[in-house]
Amino acid sequence: MPGGPARRGRYHHGDLAATLVDAGLAQLAETGVAAFSVSEVARRVGVSTAAPYRHFADRDRFLAAVVTRAADALAAGIARALDEAGPDPRERLAAAAGAYTETVSVHRVGFDVIFAPGLRELRDEELARAGRELTGLLFPPALDLAGPDGALRLVEQVVVLAHGYATLDADGFLSSDRVTDEPTAVRARRAAAALIDGAVGRG
């Protein structure tokens, strides 16, 4: 194939692992976990199908690295939303829901993938770290709102709501429903605020 060796030559300085993870994130967004293929990622990058295994022990370890990158992107988006929302825990948790929806609708990696049993069994340290950081962002406002007895339940409800919006948005349902032209993340944030008010008796 013309240009093949030149493309492979880009990676001799040690950036192939990061390039593979980037390509894996793009593929995961298109196909989901079930159809995730290391050989397809290698083809996209322009390297041999054996090349990824010089950096990752097997498919699951490679997938864990890709999901970790997605989890870090999700945490960064939520952290920005929390910073912009101000001190009110209701606004902060609702903003986190909007950020969750916005990021997951793009990357298609939410709690369902980050905490999937198959990946958890790997005990991958980086993925575990990313999961802890992500949940660590959501619990403080939930604790402020619902206390230690209700925080976990409130986080669950908000995440399920946000994930539902993200999934329907990724599948094109909400962009074609013609109910409103508002971005899906805005709709999710408003719905989360209503859920929070009902759950903790505000409003």
Side-chain angles (χ1 to χ4, degrees), residues 25-26 37 52 59 78 85 91 105 108 116 140-141 150 154-155 171-172 177 186 192 198:
L25 190 59
S37 167
R59 175 189 180 275
I78 290 175
E91 293 302 318
S105 66
R108 298 204 181 199
L154 182 58
V155 168
D171 291 340
D177 65 7
V186 173

PDB file of all heavy atoms in Angstrom, residues 25-26 37 52 59 78 85 91 105 108 116 140-141 150 154-155 171-172 177 186 192 198:
ATOM      1  N   LEU A  25     -10.740   5.062  21.090  1.00  0.00           N
ATOM      2  CA  LEU A  25     -11.835   5.875  21.612  1.00  0.00           C
ATOM      3  C   LEU A  25     -12.805   6.243  20.489  1.00  0.00           C
ATOM      4  O   LEU A  25     -14.027   6.204  20.670  1.00  0.00           O
ATOM      5  CB  LEU A  25     -11.267   7.141  22.261  1.00  0.00           C
ATOM      6  CG  LEU A  25     -12.231   8.005  23.069  1.00  0.00           C
ATOM      7  CD1 LEU A  25     -12.854   7.222  24.203  1.00  0.00           C
ATOM      8  CD2 LEU A  25     -11.514   9.232  23.610  1.00  0.00           C
ATOM      9  N   ALA A  26     -12.269   6.565  19.332  1.00  0.00           N
ATOM     10  CA  ALA A  26     -13.123   6.895  18.187  1.00  0.00           C
ATOM     11  C   ALA A  26     -13.929   5.678  17.744  1.00  0.00           C
ATOM     12  O   ALA A  26     -15.132   5.783  17.446  1.00  0.00           O
ATOM     13  CB  ALA A  26     -12.270   7.411  17.031  1.00  0.00           C
ATOM     14  N   SER A  37     -12.928  -3.770  18.257  1.00  0.00           N
ATOM     15  CA  SER A  37     -11.969  -4.656  17.593  1.00  0.00           C
ATOM     16  C   SER A  37     -10.579  -4.038  17.593  1.00  0.00           C
ATOM     17  O   SER A  37     -10.373  -2.947  17.058  1.00  0.00           O
ATOM     18  CB  SER A  37     -12.418  -4.912  16.151  1.00  0.00           C
ATOM     19  OG  SER A  37     -11.384  -5.502  15.394  1.00  0.00           O
ATOM     20  N   PRO A  52      -0.496  -3.470  18.374  1.00  0.00           N
ATOM     21  CA  PRO A  52      -1.067  -3.078  19.674  1.00  0.00           C
ATOM     22  C   PRO A  52      -0.625  -3.970  20.825  1.00  0.00           C
ATOM     23  O   PRO A  52      -0.523  -3.509  21.967  1.00  0.00           O
ATOM     24  CB  PRO A  52      -2.579  -3.201  19.435  1.00  0.00           C
ATOM     25  CG  PRO A  52      -2.747  -3.012  17.968  1.00  0.00           C
ATOM     26  CD  PRO A  52      -1.540  -3.669  17.362  1.00  0.00           C
ATOM     27  N   ARG A  59      -6.767  -7.851  24.413  1.00  0.00           N
ATOM     28  CA  ARG A  59      -7.860  -6.968  24.035  1.00  0.00           C
ATOM     29  C   ARG A  59      -8.455  -6.260  25.238  1.00  0.00           C
ATOM     30  O   ARG A  59      -8.738  -5.057  25.191  1.00  0.00           O
ATOM     31  CB  ARG A  59      -8.960  -7.766  23.324  1.00  0.00           C
ATOM     32  CG  ARG A  59     -10.215  -6.942  22.989  1.00  0.00           C
ATOM     33  CD  ARG A  59     -11.330  -7.845  22.481  1.00  0.00           C
ATOM     34  NE  ARG A  59     -12.544  -7.090  22.156  1.00  0.00           N
ATOM     35  CZ  ARG A  59     -13.477  -6.756  23.041  1.00  0.00           C
ATOM     36  NH1 ARG A  59     -13.329  -7.092  24.326  1.00  0.00           N
ATOM     37  NH2 ARG A  59     -14.562  -6.079  22.653  1.00  0.00           N
ATOM     38  N   ILE A  78     -17.350  16.951  33.730  1.00  0.00           N
ATOM     39  CA  ILE A  78     -18.152  17.159  34.933  1.00  0.00           C
ATOM     40  C   ILE A  78     -17.478  18.162  35.865  1.00  0.00           C
ATOM     41  O   ILE A  78     -18.148  19.026  36.458  1.00  0.00           O
ATOM     42  CB  ILE A  78     -18.395  15.819  35.643  1.00  0.00           C
ATOM     43  CG1 ILE A  78     -19.360  14.962  34.810  1.00  0.00           C
ATOM     44  CG2 ILE A  78     -18.950  16.033  37.056  1.00  0.00           C
ATOM     45  CD1 ILE A  78     -19.580  13.567  35.358  1.00  0.00           C
ATOM     46  N   ALA A  85     -20.972  26.009  37.877  1.00  0.00           N
ATOM     47  CA  ALA A  85     -22.322  26.022  38.434  1.00  0.00           C
ATOM     48  C   ALA A  85     -22.442  26.851  39.707  1.00  0.00           C
ATOM     49  O   ALA A  85     -23.548  27.213  40.111  1.00  0.00           O
ATOM     50  CB  ALA A  85     -22.778  24.592  38.716  1.00  0.00           C
ATOM     51  N   GLU A  91     -27.658  23.084  41.883  1.00  0.00           N
ATOM     52  CA  GLU A  91     -27.175  23.499  40.571  1.00  0.00           C
ATOM     53  C   GLU A  91     -25.942  22.702  40.159  1.00  0.00           C
ATOM     54  O   GLU A  91     -25.758  22.378  38.979  1.00  0.00           O
ATOM     55  CB  GLU A  91     -26.854  25.002  40.591  1.00  0.00           C
ATOM     56  CG  GLU A  91     -28.075  25.890  40.765  1.00  0.00           C
ATOM     57  CD  GLU A  91     -29.102  25.665  39.665  1.00  0.00           C
ATOM     58  OE1 GLU A  91     -28.694  25.535  38.488  1.00  0.00           O
ATOM     59  OE2 GLU A  91     -30.305  25.605  39.990  1.00  0.00           O
ATOM     60  N   SER A 105     -22.911  11.137  25.236  1.00  0.00           N
ATOM     61  CA  SER A 105     -23.549  11.084  23.919  1.00  0.00           C
ATOM     62  C   SER A 105     -22.519  11.107  22.797  1.00  0.00           C
ATOM     63  O   SER A 105     -22.783  10.626  21.689  1.00  0.00           O
ATOM     64  CB  SER A 105     -24.534  12.246  23.750  1.00  0.00           C
ATOM     65  OG  SER A 105     -23.855  13.492  23.739  1.00  0.00           O
ATOM     66  N   ARG A 108     -19.942   7.621  24.105  1.00  0.00           N
ATOM     67  CA  ARG A 108     -20.706   6.399  24.400  1.00  0.00           C
ATOM     68  C   ARG A 108     -20.044   5.554  25.485  1.00  0.00           C
ATOM     69  O   ARG A 108     -20.115   4.330  25.472  1.00  0.00           O
ATOM     70  CB  ARG A 108     -20.922   5.566  23.139  1.00  0.00           C
ATOM     71  CG  ARG A 108     -21.739   6.291  22.082  1.00  0.00           C
ATOM     72  CD  ARG A 108     -22.406   5.341  21.153  1.00  0.00           C
ATOM     73  NE  ARG A 108     -23.157   6.043  20.125  1.00  0.00           N
ATOM     74  CZ  ARG A 108     -24.122   5.502  19.399  1.00  0.00           C
ATOM     75  NH1 ARG A 108     -24.454   4.247  19.594  1.00  0.00           N
ATOM     76  NH2 ARG A 108     -24.759   6.197  18.473  1.00  0.00           N
ATOM     77  N   ALA A 116     -18.304  -1.788  34.121  1.00  0.00           N
ATOM     78  CA  ALA A 116     -18.762  -3.078  33.600  1.00  0.00           C
ATOM     79  C   ALA A 116     -18.063  -4.220  34.338  1.00  0.00           C
ATOM     80  O   ALA A 116     -16.855  -4.155  34.591  1.00  0.00           O
ATOM     81  CB  ALA A 116     -18.480  -3.171  32.110  1.00  0.00           C
ATOM     82  N   PRO A 140     -20.115  14.709  46.583  1.00  0.00           N
ATOM     83  CA  PRO A 140     -20.213  15.863  47.488  1.00  0.00           C
ATOM     84  C   PRO A 140     -21.509  16.661  47.374  1.00  0.00           C
ATOM     85  O   PRO A 140     -22.150  16.922  48.406  1.00  0.00           O
ATOM     86  CB  PRO A 140     -18.980  16.692  47.106  1.00  0.00           C
ATOM     87  CG  PRO A 140     -17.987  15.670  46.647  1.00  0.00           C
ATOM     88  CD  PRO A 140     -18.801  14.658  45.891  1.00  0.00           C
ATOM     89  N   PRO A 141     -21.957  17.063  46.175  1.00  0.00           N
ATOM     90  CA  PRO A 141     -23.237  17.784  46.136  1.00  0.00           C
ATOM     91  C   PRO A 141     -24.412  16.908  46.552  1.00  0.00           C
ATOM     92  O   PRO A 141     -25.368  17.395  47.160  1.00  0.00           O
ATOM     93  CB  PRO A 141     -23.355  18.231  44.673  1.00  0.00           C
ATOM     94  CG  PRO A 141     -22.448  17.342  43.899  1.00  0.00           C
ATOM     95  CD  PRO A 141     -21.335  17.013  44.838  1.00  0.00           C
ATOM     96  N   GLY A 150     -29.020   9.259  51.957  1.00  0.00           N
ATOM     97  CA  GLY A 150     -29.702   9.367  50.669  1.00  0.00           C
ATOM     98  C   GLY A 150     -28.813   9.722  49.500  1.00  0.00           C
ATOM     99  O   GLY A 150     -29.277   9.746  48.356  1.00  0.00           O
ATOM    100  N   LEU A 154     -29.525   9.223  45.417  1.00  0.00           N
ATOM    101  CA  LEU A 154     -29.679  10.408  44.584  1.00  0.00           C
ATOM    102  C   LEU A 154     -28.704  10.380  43.407  1.00  0.00           C
ATOM    103  O   LEU A 154     -29.076  10.699  42.271  1.00  0.00           O
ATOM    104  CB  LEU A 154     -29.475  11.667  45.417  1.00  0.00           C
ATOM    105  CG  LEU A 154     -29.661  13.001  44.685  1.00  0.00           C
ATOM    106  CD1 LEU A 154     -31.060  13.100  44.076  1.00  0.00           C
ATOM    107  CD2 LEU A 154     -29.413  14.169  45.639  1.00  0.00           C
ATOM    108  N   VAL A 155     -27.462   9.994  43.657  1.00  0.00           N
ATOM    109  CA  VAL A 155     -26.490   9.885  42.560  1.00  0.00           C
ATOM    110  C   VAL A 155     -26.968   8.867  41.541  1.00  0.00           C
ATOM    111  O   VAL A 155     -26.899   9.091  40.327  1.00  0.00           O
ATOM    112  CB  VAL A 155     -25.097   9.503  43.099  1.00  0.00           C
ATOM    113  CG1 VAL A 155     -24.168   9.098  41.950  1.00  0.00           C
ATOM    114  CG2 VAL A 155     -24.487  10.664  43.867  1.00  0.00           C
ATOM    115  N   ASP A 171     -28.357   7.893  19.814  1.00  0.00           N
ATOM    116  CA  ASP A 171     -29.108   7.122  18.823  1.00  0.00           C
ATOM    117  C   ASP A 171     -29.931   7.996  17.882  1.00  0.00           C
ATOM    118  O   ASP A 171     -30.613   7.484  17.002  1.00  0.00           O
ATOM    119  CB  ASP A 171     -30.035   6.136  19.532  1.00  0.00           C
ATOM    120  CG  ASP A 171     -29.255   5.014  20.222  1.00  0.00           C
ATOM    121  OD1 ASP A 171     -28.089   4.800  19.843  1.00  0.00           O
ATOM    122  OD2 ASP A 171     -29.810   4.383  21.132  1.00  0.00           O
ATOM    123  N   GLY A 172     -29.882   9.308  18.090  1.00  0.00           N
ATOM    124  CA  GLY A 172     -30.565  10.227  17.197  1.00  0.00           C
ATOM    125  C   GLY A 172     -32.021  10.503  17.519  1.00  0.00           C
ATOM    126  O   GLY A 172     -32.671  11.300  16.847  1.00  0.00           O
ATOM    127  N   ASP A 177     -36.801  14.504  17.518  1.00  0.00           N
ATOM    128  CA  ASP A 177     -38.150  14.414  18.092  1.00  0.00           C
ATOM    129  C   ASP A 177     -38.985  15.667  17.857  1.00  0.00           C
ATOM    130  O   ASP A 177     -40.176  15.674  18.055  1.00  0.00           O
ATOM    131  CB  ASP A 177     -38.073  14.096  19.592  1.00  0.00           C
ATOM    132  CG  ASP A 177     -37.410  15.203  20.411  1.00  0.00           C
ATOM    133  OD1 ASP A 177     -37.126  16.279  19.855  1.00  0.00           O
ATOM    134  OD2 ASP A 177     -37.174  14.976  21.611  1.00  0.00           O
ATOM    135  N   VAL A 186     -28.802  20.441  27.901  1.00  0.00           N
ATOM    136  CA  VAL A 186     -29.615  21.429  28.610  1.00  0.00           C
ATOM    137  C   VAL A 186     -30.891  20.783  29.130  1.00  0.00           C
ATOM    138  O   VAL A 186     -31.321  21.023  30.262  1.00  0.00           O
ATOM    139  CB  VAL A 186     -29.942  22.616  27.682  1.00  0.00           C
ATOM    140  CG1 VAL A 186     -30.934  23.568  28.341  1.00  0.00           C
ATOM    141  CG2 VAL A 186     -28.667  23.354  27.294  1.00  0.00           C
ATOM    142  N   ALA A 192     -32.783  16.899  35.538  1.00  0.00           N
ATOM    143  CA  ALA A 192     -32.090  16.512  36.765  1.00  0.00           C
ATOM    144  C   ALA A 192     -32.441  17.447  37.912  1.00  0.00           C
ATOM    145  O   ALA A 192     -32.620  17.004  39.056  1.00  0.00           O
ATOM    146  CB  ALA A 192     -30.577  16.500  36.536  1.00  0.00           C
ATOM    147  N   GLY A 198     -37.667  16.926  43.582  1.00  0.00           N
ATOM    148  CA  GLY A 198     -38.615  15.943  44.050  1.00  0.00           C
ATOM    149  C   GLY A 198     -38.016  14.985  45.068  1.00  0.00           C
ATOM    150  O   GLY A 198     -38.673  14.589  46.033  1.00  0.00           O
TER     151      GLY A 198
END
